[in-house]
Amino acid sequence: MMPFTADRLILFGATGDLAQRMLLPSLCALDADDLLPPELRIVGTARSEMNDQGFRNFAREALETYLPANRRGSMADFLNRLHYQPLDATTLEGYEELARKVDGAGKGLAIFLSTAPSLFEPTIAGLAHAGLTGDNVRIGLEKPLGTDLASSKEINDAVASAFDESRIFRIDHYLGKETVQNLLALRFANIMFEPIWNANYIEHVQITVGETVGLESRVAYYDDSGALRDMVQNHMLQLLALVCMEPPTSFEATAVRDEKVKVLRALRPLTNADSVTGQYRAGAIGGTAVPGYDEELGKQSNTETFVALKAHVDNWRWNGVPFYMRTGKRLPERVTEIVVQFRCIPFSIFDGRGATTKPNRLVIGIQPKENIQLSLMAKLPGLDREGIRLRQVPLDIAMPDAFTGVHRRIAYERLLLDLIEGDQTLFVRRDEIEAQWEWIDAIRANWVENGATPKTYTAGSWGPTAAIALTERDGVSWHDE
């Protein structure tokens, strides 16, 4: 199939929260930088009744709220690209009107679904009914793609009935983040890292995704999902795959995704001792009192708001290296980071001089600060009459400082542009999704079999004490400083 750049874009769920906070601001910012095809026509659709002008007014409010003024460009030009068609996605009626509004598929059509997963199947049927699934149409799918392997397959089968894999773009917005992509550059563009990126030199790896927020507006979804399915199944396993993957033969979609799926298939099934779940209780975040999960929910629940795991990748490169992962709500900090802890030096020539050495550590900060920090041992200045003194010295690369004058882009800017242009490198393939679900389903089945229930932790803490014990029994401490 010939590649194409879309000159039509349909946004399903165009009046939703994601569209207001991310999609419309991202598209406007791309337009301001002249990165969108000049003829691109954007059609929003949702249940809400409004006309083109109403949608433009809605979009203007969203842009003024969520996009910095210096990134808006000529907002009027962008707003003129926008059109709107009301649609009940669950019935076939209305899809022909949507097709007319799109004004044919043009050179190519990109469709972005940011709707409830339950609407995916009827939406695909409606698109097919209206002739909007041809070879010059590609589709982007926002998570969650199912709640387990079976439901994920059902969704993927429905999409595959109308679109082949080369035209399906499954979005994980973490893969659009600059520092996540920088992880690949760090590993595969620098000779100093790749030779030591293995079990011989790395003792363990930590991946932390901390949120300070509670349920907010996601009450029903989150209580059905929980931290394992909401965060680990997608974002964290994708980060793990990027850390562990073998060097791909090129930076092309197939080559990169082939290596990621090998990692996901090499994940060892977890034992009951390798996972900890928690649920927050009333506490304080940043000095402000916050209610517990049960109070926010208004009832008792066994849904986990925190999970810590000790994983292993059973292959030659990573044999014996533990990967500690934790994520939770109402933690002390909003943070996403990867910590690579290197092994101790095999012999210290400084021991006889009273100096102690500490192993090197690489910290990759993904949010809210994008930075890379490498800790090295260095000698303190002095005449050393009382012995040599060594200290860890951080080498910091703060991304905004290293690349001054370059915009900090919203992750969705890259992903939407890649969808329009047809680059699948940063999107998730079906076999990746299914390998992730297979591993996650086994963990959940293990919890059920062992009658595991979440341990409570105080909001504003780093989770239940059992999460500390998970690492401490291996002589490891979580990177909390």
Side-chain angles (χ1 to χ4, degrees):
M1 188 183 67
M2 290 292 290
F4 63 88
T5 296
D7 60 354
R8 302 285 188 274
L9 174 63
I10 301 177
L11 297 178
F12 279 81
T15 59
D17 185 57
L18 183 69
Q20 293 178 68
R21 290 186 301 108
M22 295 291 174
L23 305 184
L24 291 168
S26 293
L27 289 166
C28 182
L30 289 169
D31 182 68
D33 292 336
D34 295 323
L35 291 171
L36 294 181
E39 67 278 23
L40 182 71
R41 178 187 180 93
I42 301 169
V43 178
T45 184
R47 283 178 182 259
S48 309
E49 287 289 338
M50 66 173 85
N51 58 19
D52 289 355
Q53 191 55 50
F55 184 53
R56 289 168 186 164
N57 294 339
F58 170 86
R60 182 189 296 277
E61 284 186 34
L63 298 173
E64 288 173 349
T65 304
Y66 296 108
L67 187 64
N70 66 344
R71 298 224 53 213
R72 294 175 197 161
S74 174
M75 203 156 65
D77 290 344
F78 172 70
L79 293 174
N80 284 335
R81 292 180 183 266
L82 301 182
H83 305 268
Y84 186 82
Q85 180 64 41
L87 178 73
D88 178 353
T90 61
T91 66
L92 292 179
E93 296 168 27
Y95 280 91
E96 291 96 336
E97 286 83 356
L98 177 63
R100 281 194 288 274
K101 193 78 173 190
V102 173
D103 192 21
K107 294 177 188 171
L109 170 64
I111 300 169
F112 187 102
L113 294 190
S114 62
T115 58
S118 59
L119 295 178
F120 284 3
E121 286 189 61
T123 300
I124 298 298
L127 291 169
H129 173 74
L132 294 175
T133 59
D135 287 345
N136 65 337
V137 184
R138 63 176 69 104
I139 190 163
L141 307 173
E142 181 61 60
K143 81 169 187 94
L145 294 179
T147 56
D148 54 17
L149 180 60
S151 58
S152 176
K153 282 184 171 179
E154 193 176 322
I155 289 172
N156 279 313
D157 285 346
V159 179
S161 69
F163 297 89
D164 59 61
E165 186 64 32
S166 66
R167 295 187 289 122
I168 301 172
F169 289 62
R170 297 173 191 82
I171 288 184
D172 185 330
H173 72 267
Y174 264 49
L175 299 183
K177 291 181 180 294
E178 203 66 54
T179 325
V180 172
Q181 295 158 55
N182 235 315
L183 176 56
L184 293 176
L186 188 77
R187 286 192 57 190
F188 303 129
N190 297 288
I191 192 66
M192 69 180 74
F193 286 117
E194 193 53 27
I196 61 170
W197 205 262
N198 55 54
N200 293 329
Y201 297 95
I202 291 175
E203 181 192 80
H204 73 264
V205 176
Q206 298 180 25
I207 302 176
T208 295
V209 179
E211 297 181 279
T212 54
V213 297
L215 284 179
E216 293 185 307
S217 61
R218 305 172 74 215
V219 176
Y221 162 74
Y222 196 86
D223 197 53
D224 287 341
S225 174
L228 186 72
R229 290 189 284 199
D230 184 47
M231 274 291 182
V232 181
Q233 183 272 330
N234 41 78
H235 303 327
M236 298 188 79
L237 286 184
Q238 283 293 314
L239 294 179
L240 178 72
L242 292 174
V243 169
C244 296
M245 65 190 274
E246 294 297 319
T249 54
S250 68
F251 194 57
E252 296 296 325
T254 300
V256 171
R257 299 193 295 181
D258 281 350
E259 297 305 334
K260 283 198 295 173
V261 80
K262 288 177 190 175
V263 174
L264 297 168
R265 286 177 177 155
L267 281 167
R268 183 189 303 174
L270 257 62
T271 66
N272 199 45
D274 290 332
S275 69
V276 173
T277 61
Q279 190 184 95
Y280 64 84
R281 289 294 178 264
I285 302 285
T288 302
V290 296
Y293 182 80
D294 51 343
E295 296 170 83
E296 284 189 78
L297 194 61
K299 62 178 182 179
Q300 296 296 310
S301 168
N302 276 335
T303 299
E304 79 284 356
T305 62
F306 175 96
V307 62
L309 306 172
K310 177 185 173 183
H312 286 88
V313 177
D314 286 337
N315 63 16
W316 191 312
R317 182 183 288 257
W318 297 111
N319 183 47
V321 177
F323 291 82
Y324 302 102
M325 296 187 284
R326 63 175 174 172
T327 183
K329 290 191 172 294
R330 294 297 190 201
L331 300 185
E333 292 177 46
R334 176 177 173 257
V335 60
T336 299
E337 70 177 13
I338 300 166
V339 178
V340 179
Q341 182 68 57
F342 292 94
R343 296 191 183 280
C344 296
I345 54 172
F347 173 77
S348 175
I349 64 172
F350 302 103
D351 282 352
R353 303 293 297 273
T356 56
T357 59
K358 293 182 179 179
N360 304 127
R361 172 186 283 171
L362 181 68
V363 180
I364 301 164
I366 294 167
Q367 67 179 23
K369 293 179 181 175
E370 296 184 336
N371 67 307
I372 298 171
Q373 182 188 87
L374 177 64
S375 66
L376 302 173
M377 294 306 298
K379 176 188 170 297
L380 263 67
L383 297 175
D384 310 321
R385 306 283 40 92
E386 297 175 2
I388 291 177
R389 291 179 299 160
L390 301 178
R391 191 173 74 187
Q392 276 188 316
V393 178
L395 287 181
D396 275 314
I397 304 172
M399 291 302 162
D401 297 340
F403 302 103
T404 52
V406 177
H407 293 311
R408 262 195 87 181
R409 293 193 178 275
I410 306 166
Y412 279 93
E413 288 182 53
R414 173 180 291 275
L415 298 175
L416 284 166
L417 193 57
D418 284 352
L419 172 65
I420 290 165
E421 294 179 347
D423 185 346
Q424 288 186 307
T425 308
L426 298 178
F427 295 82
V428 185
R429 203 165 60 191
R430 177 170 183 163
D431 53 355
E432 289 181 73
I433 291 270
E434 294 184 353
Q436 289 170 191
W437 274 123
E438 202 168 324
W439 194 68
I440 293 296
D441 283 359
I443 295 173
R444 290 181 56 80
N446 190 277
W447 289 351
V448 171
E449 186 181 326
N450 290 279
T453 55
K455 296 170 171 55
T456 59
Y457 64 97
T458 304
S461 70
W462 280 106
T465 54
I468 299 171
L470 180 70
T471 58
E472 295 285 355
R473 65 172 178 250
D474 297 334
V476 172
S477 296
W478 289 107
H479 180 251
D480 290 340
E481 65 265 21

